[in-house]
């Protein structure tokens, strides 16, 4: 599987004979937790330092979570979505991100919208924020979606629906097919040392906190293998376009 450069969470890797069967194991929906920041939009649609702010717009009118929740149903089910310029999709044999680095925009490239499926989309709301009447600049959503969905594009479109612009400032994949965060090998193999922020996201330094060993890697592989064998013995209930 793949993840955006700034994303964290579930990333499934094939080992040995599992490599050729990887796509079969990844059948099913994906789930994400994303942070949305209103008021500005970047060329990459996320907080990548290589991205440039291309538009700024007031979000002062977004003062209630009810307003945010009101637009979310428009982005569930089968929807049309324009992929980001900075993506691995190809145009005339070249990756879109290569063209994006040369300054070309989605309008320049005439990127066509594609149909994607959003199974579930909900707002994560802090209890102490419910009574606030101040403009809401940052909030989080949880998304369960089908393959080919770009969360950065979803964030962009939610911003537009709210009458402003938006950028995805954090992203964590919490599920890919039959694999969840519980199956993942954290950067720190000592569970007691794993730190979380107030939203429950794992905090780590990729250069300092990774202390994997052959033993911890093998243990993770065994856990995932047992999960696959168990799910292959019965109906795991995974959502798949082939089952609908």
């Amino acid at each position: 599987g793949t993840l955006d450069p700034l994303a964290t969470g579930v990333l499934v890797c094939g080992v040995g004979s599992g490599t050729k069967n990887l796509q079969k194991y990844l059948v099913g929906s994906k789930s994400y937790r994303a942070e949305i920041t209103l008021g500005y939009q970047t060329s990459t649609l996320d907080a990548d330092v290589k991205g440039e702010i291309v538009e700024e717009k007031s979000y002062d009118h977004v003062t209630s979570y009810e307003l945010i929740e009101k637009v979310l149903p428009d982005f569930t089910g089968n929807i049309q979505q324009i992929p980001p310029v900075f993506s691995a999709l190809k145009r005339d044999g070249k990756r879109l991100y290569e063209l994006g680095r040369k300054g070309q925009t989605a309008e320049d490239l005439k990127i066509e919208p594609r149909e994607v499926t959003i199974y579930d989309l909900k707002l994560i709301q802090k209890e102490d924020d419910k009574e606030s009447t101040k403009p809401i600049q940052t909030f989080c959503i949880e998304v369960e979606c089908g393959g080919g969905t770009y969360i950065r594009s979803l964030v962009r479109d939610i911003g537009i629906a709210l009458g402003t612009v938006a950028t995805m400032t954090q992203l964590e994949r919490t599920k890919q097919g039959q694999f969840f965060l519980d199956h993942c090998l954290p950067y720190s193999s000592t569970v007691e040392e794993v730190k979380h922020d107030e939203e429950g996201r794992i905090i780590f330094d990729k250069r300092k906190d990774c202390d994997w060993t052959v033993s911890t890697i093998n243990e993770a592989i065994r856990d995932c293998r047992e999960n696959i064998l168990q799910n292959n013995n019965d109906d795991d209930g995974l959502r798949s376009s082939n089952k609908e």
Side-chain angles (χ1 to χ4, degrees):
T2 58
L3 268 178
D4 285 349
L6 300 184
T8 61
V10 180
L11 178 62
V12 182
C13 302
V15 178
S17 61
T19 304
K20 64 180 180 181
N21 293 318
L22 190 58
Q23 293 306 312
K24 179 179 71 174
Y25 299 150
L26 297 182
V27 169
S29 62
K30 304 176 183 180
S31 295
Y32 297 88
R33 175 178 288 202
E35 180 183 81
I36 298 177
T37 300
L38 303 178
Y40 72 97
Q41 180 177 304
T42 68
S43 56
T44 57
L45 302 183
D46 62 13
D48 193 321
V49 294
K50 297 179 181 178
E52 300 178 354
I53 295 177
V54 294
E55 186 175 358
E56 293 181 278
K57 197 171 183 179
S58 174
Y59 59 91
D60 290 347
H61 59 285
V62 184
T63 57
S64 72
Y65 286 97
E66 288 75 14
L67 177 61
I68 299 172
E69 289 179 323
K70 187 176 180 181
V71 306
L72 296 186
D74 294 336
F75 299 98
T76 56
N78 295 328
I79 65 171
Q80 294 294 313
Q81 183 183 84
I82 298 177
V85 173
F86 285 83
S87 65
L89 297 176
K90 287 187 175 182
R91 168 65 59 86
D92 298 328
K94 293 184 178 181
R95 301 286 186 185
L96 287 184
Y97 64 77
E98 296 176 350
L99 301 175
R101 288 171 181 168
K102 295 179 180 179
Q104 297 191 56
T105 66
E107 291 75 19
D108 296 333
L109 297 171
K110 294 181 173 57
I111 300 176
E112 296 291 332
R114 305 191 306 173
E115 183 176 280
V116 298
T117 302
I118 308 292
Y119 296 112
D120 191 32
L121 173 60
K122 58 186 178 183
L123 173 69
I124 303 174
Q125 182 176 341
K126 296 180 182 179
E127 290 296 321
D128 57 356
D129 286 343
K130 288 185 177 180
E131 303 302 324
S132 175
T133 58
K134 296 180 180 179
I136 301 169
Q137 183 175 23
T138 302
F139 58 93
C140 292
I141 57 172
E142 287 185 345
V143 186
E144 183 183 4
C145 59
T149 305
Y150 283 93
I151 306 301
R152 284 177 290 151
S153 292
L154 177 63
V155 168
R156 174 200 61 203
D157 296 341
I158 289 175
I160 294 172
L162 289 171
T164 181
V165 290
T167 291
M168 185 186 76
T169 44
Q170 288 191 42
L171 179 67
E172 180 181 47
R173 183 156 63 194
T174 57
K175 171 183 177 292
Q176 184 173 14
Q178 56 193 300
F179 299 99
F180 295 79
L181 283 174
D182 290 344
H183 298 120
C184 292
L185 181 63
Y187 275 87
S188 173
S189 60
T190 306
V191 177
E192 291 78 9
E193 295 180 358
V194 177
K195 299 178 181 179
H196 297 80
D197 64 14
E198 59 183 13
E199 297 289 346
R201 293 182 292 261
I202 296 174
I203 303 173
F204 56 80
D205 184 315
K206 292 182 178 180
R207 296 181 178 178
K208 297 180 180 179
D209 295 340
C210 183
D211 59 354
W212 294 350
T213 65
V214 172
S215 176
T216 56
I217 293 173
N218 280 333
E219 182 179 353
I221 292 173
R222 283 194 295 269
D223 288 344
C224 288
R225 182 176 183 275
E226 290 174 3
N227 178 58
I228 291 172
L229 292 175
Q230 179 181 354
N231 283 327
N232 284 346
N233 287 334
D234 50 35
D235 182 7
D236 54 22
L238 293 176
R239 289 174 174 149
S240 168
S241 58
N242 295 328
K243 294 183 179 182
E244 295 178 345

